[in-house]
Amino acid sequence: MTDARQVIDNEVKSNDVVLFMKGTPQFPMCGFSGQVVQILNYLGVPYKGVNVLEDEGIRQSIKDYSNWPTIPQLYVKGEFVGGCDITREMFQAGELQQLFADKGIKIEQSA
């Protein structure tokens, strides 16, 4: 296991919700990352953002880790959920909220 892969594995396994993204939750550096941040913030879900722009090894390794070609990537309780489109579609259908509930993650949805 490469160092970057080990870092990714540790983040995924030690955080209930982790978002590998371009930028930070406070300052997303791409629109797709920004959309997922907006959804998670709207739901009030505590999550950790990992800025892939800070480490080229992580930026490349996350794609191999998930076998998914794009960033952002959302993980919930160690499971890969998807990228921006999948996360948005799940949110709009109520499936993301159900996933959080099923995994025992409290959401404090904005009104």
Side-chain angles (χ1 to χ4, degrees), residues 8 13 21 25 31 40 49 65-66 85 91-92 94 102 108-109 111:
I8 291 166
K13 290 178 178 170
M21 61 181 293
L40 295 175
Y65 186 86
S66 61
D85 290 346
F91 168 70
Q92 290 170 341
D102 292 348
E108 298 175 17
Q109 191 163 354

Side-chain angles (χ1 to χ4, degrees), residues 30 34 38 52 55 58 60 64 85 89-90 101 106 109:
C30 85
Q38 282 185 321
V52 300
D55 187 323
I58 290 177
Q60 284 307 310
D64 298 331
D85 290 346
E89 288 167 13
M90 287 179 69
K106 190 173 187 217
Q109 191 163 354

Side-chain angles (χ1 to χ4, degrees), residues 2-79:
T2 65
D3 288 342
R5 189 172 174 89
Q6 211 162 5
V7 168
I8 291 166
D9 199 51
N10 184 52
E11 292 290 0
V12 167
K13 290 178 178 170
S14 63
N15 294 288
D16 284 349
V17 182
V18 62
L19 178 64
F20 289 87
M21 61 181 293
K22 293 178 180 175
T24 65
Q26 297 75 26
F27 194 73
M29 299 290 285
C30 85
F32 299 114
S33 292
Q35 284 183 44
V36 178
V37 164
Q38 282 185 321
I39 290 167
L40 295 175
N41 288 347
Y42 175 80
L43 293 175
V45 173
Y47 65 98
K48 176 162 187 191
V50 177
N51 184 358
V52 300
L53 299 177
E54 290 179 345
D55 187 323
E56 187 59 35
I58 290 177
R59 186 176 183 175
Q60 284 307 310
S61 295
I62 190 64
K63 296 173 186 180
D64 298 331
Y65 186 86
S66 61
N67 198 26
W68 189 259
T70 59
I71 295 165
Q73 294 186 13
L74 180 64
Y75 290 80
V76 176
K77 293 276 187 164
E79 254 180 65

Side-chain angles (χ1 to χ4, degrees), residues 45 76 94-107:
V45 173
V76 176
E95 295 168 7
L96 187 63
Q97 297 87 321
Q98 188 61 52
L99 174 69
F100 288 133
D102 292 348
K103 299 285 186 179
I105 296 169
K106 190 173 187 217
I107 61 172

